[in-house]
Short mmCIF file of all heavy atoms in Angstrom, two decimals:
data_model
loop_
_atom_site.label_atom_id
_atom_site.label_comp_id
_atom_site.label_asym_id
_atom_site.label_seq_id
_atom_site.Cartn_x
_atom_site.Cartn_y
_atom_site.Cartn_z
N MET P 812 3.78 29.29 3.19
CA MET P 812 4.96 30.09 3.56
C MET P 812 5.16 31.26 2.58
O MET P 812 5.40 31.05 1.43
CB MET P 812 6.21 29.20 3.55
CG MET P 812 6.45 28.45 4.81
SD MET P 812 7.84 27.31 4.66
CE MET P 812 9.19 28.44 4.54
N ILE P 814 7.52 33.26 1.96
CA ILE P 814 8.94 33.62 1.88
C ILE P 814 9.33 33.54 0.40
O ILE P 814 8.86 32.63 -0.29
CB ILE P 814 9.83 32.71 2.77
CG1 ILE P 814 9.27 32.71 4.19
CG2 ILE P 814 11.26 33.21 2.78
CD1 ILE P 814 9.99 31.75 5.13
N ILE P 815 10.21 34.39 0.00
CA ILE P 815 10.68 34.39 -1.38
C ILE P 815 11.22 33.04 -1.76
O ILE P 815 12.00 32.43 -1.04
CB ILE P 815 11.72 35.50 -1.61
CG1 ILE P 815 11.04 36.87 -1.60
CG2 ILE P 815 12.47 35.28 -2.90
CD1 ILE P 815 11.93 38.06 -1.69
N ASN P 816 10.77 32.55 -2.93
CA ASN P 816 11.21 31.25 -3.42
C ASN P 816 11.31 31.41 -4.97
O ASN P 816 10.28 31.59 -5.63
CB ASN P 816 10.20 30.17 -3.06
CG ASN P 816 10.58 28.82 -3.57
OD1 ASN P 816 11.59 28.67 -4.25
ND2 ASN P 816 9.77 27.82 -3.33
N LEU P 817 12.50 31.38 -5.46
CA LEU P 817 12.70 31.62 -6.89
C LEU P 817 12.55 30.39 -7.77
O LEU P 817 12.86 30.43 -8.96
CB LEU P 817 14.11 32.25 -7.14
CG LEU P 817 14.22 33.70 -6.63
CD1 LEU P 817 15.67 34.20 -6.81
CD2 LEU P 817 13.27 34.64 -7.36
N GLU P 829 3.33 16.49 -5.79
CA GLU P 829 4.11 15.41 -5.12
C GLU P 829 3.71 15.32 -3.64
O GLU P 829 3.57 14.22 -3.11
CB GLU P 829 5.59 15.74 -5.23
CG GLU P 829 6.45 14.56 -4.83
CD GLU P 829 7.74 14.99 -4.17
OE1 GLU P 829 8.60 15.53 -4.84
OE2 GLU P 829 7.88 14.76 -2.95
N GLN P 830 3.50 16.48 -3.00
CA GLN P 830 3.11 16.49 -1.58
C GLN P 830 1.74 15.82 -1.41
O GLN P 830 1.56 15.04 -0.50
CB GLN P 830 3.05 17.92 -1.05
CG GLN P 830 4.40 18.52 -0.77
CD GLN P 830 5.16 17.71 0.27
OE1 GLN P 830 4.73 17.47 1.36
NE2 GLN P 830 6.36 17.24 -0.09
N ARG P 833 2.15 12.19 -2.01
CA ARG P 833 2.85 11.64 -0.86
C ARG P 833 1.88 11.41 0.25
O ARG P 833 1.89 10.36 0.97
CB ARG P 833 3.96 12.58 -0.46
CG ARG P 833 4.97 12.02 0.50
CD ARG P 833 6.07 13.03 0.70
NE ARG P 833 7.10 13.00 -0.30
CZ ARG P 833 8.09 12.14 -0.30
NH1 ARG P 833 8.24 11.29 0.71
NH2 ARG P 833 9.01 12.15 -1.27
N LEU P 834 0.97 12.35 0.46
CA LEU P 834 -0.05 12.28 1.54
C LEU P 834 -0.94 11.08 1.28
O LEU P 834 -1.23 10.32 2.19
CB LEU P 834 -0.84 13.58 1.57
CG LEU P 834 -1.85 13.69 2.72
CD1 LEU P 834 -1.16 13.81 4.05
CD2 LEU P 834 -2.76 14.89 2.52
N PHE P 837 1.01 7.89 1.75
CA PHE P 837 1.29 7.71 3.20
C PHE P 837 0.02 7.16 3.91
O PHE P 837 0.08 6.20 4.67
CB PHE P 837 1.70 9.07 3.76
CG PHE P 837 2.03 9.08 5.21
CD1 PHE P 837 3.26 8.66 5.67
CD2 PHE P 837 1.06 9.46 6.17
CE1 PHE P 837 3.60 8.67 7.01
CE2 PHE P 837 1.40 9.46 7.52
CZ PHE P 837 2.66 9.06 7.91
N SER P 840 -0.75 3.63 2.79
CA SER P 840 0.21 2.68 3.36
C SER P 840 -0.16 2.31 4.79
O SER P 840 -0.18 1.15 5.18
CB SER P 840 1.61 3.30 3.34
OG SER P 840 1.94 3.69 2.08
N VAL Y 970 7.47 5.14 2.60
CA VAL Y 970 6.13 4.95 3.19
C VAL Y 970 6.00 5.67 4.53
O VAL Y 970 4.97 6.18 4.86
CB VAL Y 970 5.89 3.44 3.33
CG1 VAL Y 970 4.63 3.18 4.16
CG2 VAL Y 970 5.76 2.79 1.95
N LEU Y 973 6.01 11.33 5.55
CA LEU Y 973 4.97 12.13 4.96
C LEU Y 973 5.58 13.31 4.24
O LEU Y 973 5.12 13.70 3.17
CB LEU Y 973 4.00 12.61 6.04
CG LEU Y 973 2.85 13.49 5.61
CD1 LEU Y 973 2.07 12.80 4.52
CD2 LEU Y 973 1.97 13.87 6.78
N ARG Y 974 6.59 13.85 4.80
CA ARG Y 974 7.28 14.99 4.17
C ARG Y 974 8.74 14.93 4.64
O ARG Y 974 9.05 15.02 5.79
CB ARG Y 974 6.66 16.29 4.68
CG ARG Y 974 7.31 17.49 4.14
CD ARG Y 974 6.72 18.74 4.69
NE ARG Y 974 5.70 19.26 3.77
CZ ARG Y 974 5.17 20.44 3.89
NH1 ARG Y 974 5.45 21.19 4.89
NH2 ARG Y 974 4.28 20.86 3.03
N HIS Y 1045 15.57 15.94 -0.91
CA HIS Y 1045 14.93 17.25 -0.99
C HIS Y 1045 15.91 18.30 -0.44
O HIS Y 1045 16.59 17.99 0.57
CB HIS Y 1045 13.63 17.28 -0.24
CG HIS Y 1045 12.53 16.53 -0.94
ND1 HIS Y 1045 12.59 15.21 -1.15
CD2 HIS Y 1045 11.35 16.97 -1.42
CE1 HIS Y 1045 11.48 14.81 -1.79
NE2 HIS Y 1045 10.69 15.88 -1.96
N GLU Y 1090 13.27 35.16 -13.51
CA GLU Y 1090 12.43 34.37 -12.61
C GLU Y 1090 12.30 35.21 -11.33
O GLU Y 1090 13.34 35.56 -10.74
CB GLU Y 1090 13.07 33.02 -12.30
CG GLU Y 1090 12.15 31.98 -11.75
CD GLU Y 1090 11.07 31.57 -12.73
OE1 GLU Y 1090 11.40 31.00 -13.85
OE2 GLU Y 1090 9.87 31.77 -12.40
N ASP Y 1092 10.11 36.53 -7.57
CA ASP Y 1092 9.16 36.29 -6.47
C ASP Y 1092 9.24 37.48 -5.51
O ASP Y 1092 10.13 38.29 -5.63
CB ASP Y 1092 9.50 34.98 -5.79
CG ASP Y 1092 8.34 34.42 -4.98
OD1 ASP Y 1092 7.20 34.97 -5.11
OD2 ASP Y 1092 8.52 33.48 -4.16
N GLN Y 1094 7.95 39.09 -1.31
CA GLN Y 1094 7.36 38.83 -0.02
C GLN Y 1094 6.99 40.18 0.67
O GLN Y 1094 7.64 41.20 0.33
CB GLN Y 1094 8.28 38.01 0.88
CG GLN Y 1094 9.53 38.77 1.36
CD GLN Y 1094 10.40 37.90 2.30
OE1 GLN Y 1094 10.69 36.78 1.98
NE2 GLN Y 1094 10.80 38.49 3.39
N ALA Y 1133 13.00 24.80 -2.58
CA ALA Y 1133 12.98 26.26 -2.69
C ALA Y 1133 14.33 26.78 -3.16
O ALA Y 1133 15.35 26.15 -2.85
CB ALA Y 1133 12.58 26.89 -1.41
N LEU Y 1134 14.32 27.85 -3.90
CA LEU Y 1134 15.57 28.53 -4.26
C LEU Y 1134 15.61 29.80 -3.44
O LEU Y 1134 14.82 30.71 -3.63
CB LEU Y 1134 15.63 28.80 -5.74
CG LEU Y 1134 15.63 27.62 -6.71
CD1 LEU Y 1134 15.72 28.07 -8.16
CD2 LEU Y 1134 16.72 26.63 -6.38
N GLN Y 1328 11.44 25.39 8.54
CA GLN Y 1328 10.15 26.09 8.48
C GLN Y 1328 9.23 25.39 7.47
O GLN Y 1328 8.03 25.18 7.71
CB GLN Y 1328 10.32 27.56 8.12
CG GLN Y 1328 10.84 28.41 9.23
CD GLN Y 1328 11.23 29.78 8.76
OE1 GLN Y 1328 11.20 30.13 7.61
NE2 GLN Y 1328 11.60 30.66 9.75
N TRP Y 1329 9.80 25.03 6.33
CA TRP Y 1329 9.03 24.37 5.29
C TRP Y 1329 8.54 22.96 5.80
O TRP Y 1329 7.40 22.57 5.56
CB TRP Y 1329 9.90 24.20 4.02
CG TRP Y 1329 9.19 23.53 2.87
CD1 TRP Y 1329 8.39 24.16 1.96
CD2 TRP Y 1329 9.17 22.14 2.56
NE1 TRP Y 1329 7.90 23.23 1.06
CE2 TRP Y 1329 8.34 22.01 1.39
CE3 TRP Y 1329 9.80 20.99 3.04
CZ2 TRP Y 1329 8.15 20.76 0.77
CZ3 TRP Y 1329 9.56 19.78 2.44
CH2 TRP Y 1329 8.75 19.65 1.32
#
Side-chain angles (χ1 to χ4, degrees):
Chain P
M812 272 174 70
I814 306 176
I815 287 175
N816 179 2
L817 288 176
E829 192 214 291
Q830 284 300 304
R833 194 175 276 277
L834 184 68
F837 182 82
S840 306
Chain Y
V970 171
L973 179 56
R974 176 183 267 191
H1045 287 63
E1090 198 66 62
D1092 198 10
Q1094 70 178 48
L1134 298 182
Q1328 286 170 354
W1329 182 84

